[in-house]
Amino acid sequence: MPGSSGAVEVRRPSARVEAPSVRVIQLAPPIRALFDSLEERILVWQPPSGTTFPNAMLREFLAAVPDSPSLLAALCSVAEAVWAESRPRLLSGGRTDLRPTGSFTQEFTVQSRRFLCRGRMLSPDPLWSSGLVLIALQAETRREPCALEMRHRYGLTARETEVAMLLANGCSNTNVATELHVSRHTARRHTERVLAKLQVSSRAKVGVLFRTG
């Protein structure tokens, strides 16, 4: 998501969150495709109804982790906090304006696993008159995977271990290519070999495997 000057850091105490009954936004196909193309795990949250849309990378991640409803509930709670800080205020002459939102970050715990996310408010638009809140789920912060242990356990090469560590932290093939200074084609081949050796079907499951052993 685009950065913003004057970032506001929001950190609230962790709390157990009950899974909500989630309603999914019915986005127009071009808008849905746009959010699905983002190489981040993004939750789109529409105020004031609280309808949501997890993009492709977030849907893949949620399908791979245990207790995904509670994780989704926590993300919705962060979105509500962003909205509360950024909701439109009535100005003179019947005009409305948004408070500056900056960038919001929060850590939270779900089933003894710690996650980090960041969020921001998009201004009202003809397509979303009340604005949209975007929440990006970052890497799990519960504990760092042990590279040497995983390398020996799964017979990974040094390069494959590097790739596996990047995948475990949510990197896309583009991110892997950038970090390792290789082409996207080479990054994709490395990723395919790592997934095969780890016997998992998606990059989202690499992080789960590394953190649960």
Side-chain angles (χ1 to χ4, degrees):
M1 292 185 296
S4 175
S5 60
V8 179
E9 296 292 324
V10 177
R11 295 184 183 276
R12 294 177 173 80
S14 300
R16 184 174 180 81
V17 185
E18 296 300 325
S21 177
V22 176
R23 291 184 297 158
V24 177
I25 298 173
Q26 298 302 315
L27 296 175
I31 304 301
R32 180 187 178 98
L34 172 64
F35 284 120
D36 276 342
S37 69
L38 298 177
E39 293 191 334
E40 287 187 275
R41 297 186 285 256
I42 299 292
L43 178 73
V44 182
W45 189 88
Q46 186 174 45
S49 63
T51 51
T52 64
F53 172 74
N55 77 340
M57 283 196 70
L58 181 56
R59 292 196 301 271
E60 180 185 37
F61 184 76
L62 290 171
V65 299
D67 203 17
S68 59
S70 291
L71 176 55
L72 186 56
L75 293 175
C76 288
S77 294
V78 175
E80 288 183 282
V82 173
W83 165 240
E85 295 290 335
S86 313
R87 69 179 59 190
R89 52 183 173 173
L90 188 63
L91 303 179
S92 61
R95 296 176 298 113
T96 58
D97 193 15
L98 284 176
R99 300 185 182 97
T101 63
S103 224
F104 295 79
T105 64
Q106 185 171 346
E107 288 186 336
F108 57 89
T109 302
V110 175
Q111 293 294 310
S112 301
R113 302 173 65 192
R114 292 193 64 79
F115 294 91
L116 175 69
C117 68
R118 58 192 176 93
R120 67 174 292 110
M121 180 83 191
L122 298 186
S123 300
D125 180 272
L127 293 174
W128 42 79
S129 58
S130 298
L132 286 180
V133 177
L134 301 187
I135 302 296
L137 179 64
Q138 304 297 293
E140 183 180 351
T141 60
R142 176 171 170 245
R143 69 176 177 88
E144 287 299 317
C146 176
L148 184 60
E149 175 189 352
M150 301 308 287
R151 178 178 178 181
H152 290 316
R153 179 179 299 180
Y154 293 99
L156 303 175
T157 65
R159 175 61 92 184
E160 288 167 350
T161 303
E162 289 182 285
V163 173
M165 294 289 288
L166 291 171
L167 296 179
N169 284 302
C171 286
S172 65
N173 286 342
T174 300
N175 300 142
V176 171
T178 300
E179 290 291 329
L180 300 183
H181 305 289
V182 298
S183 69
R184 288 188 64 178
H185 175 70
T186 299
R188 185 175 67 252
R189 286 193 292 107
H190 284 320
T191 297
E192 290 170 351
R193 285 200 295 268
V194 168
L195 295 181
K197 285 191 175 183
L198 299 182
Q199 297 183 347
V200 294
S201 57
S202 70
R203 70 185 65 242
K205 293 181 179 178
V206 176
V208 175
L209 180 66
F210 267 43
R211 289 172 173 84
T212 60

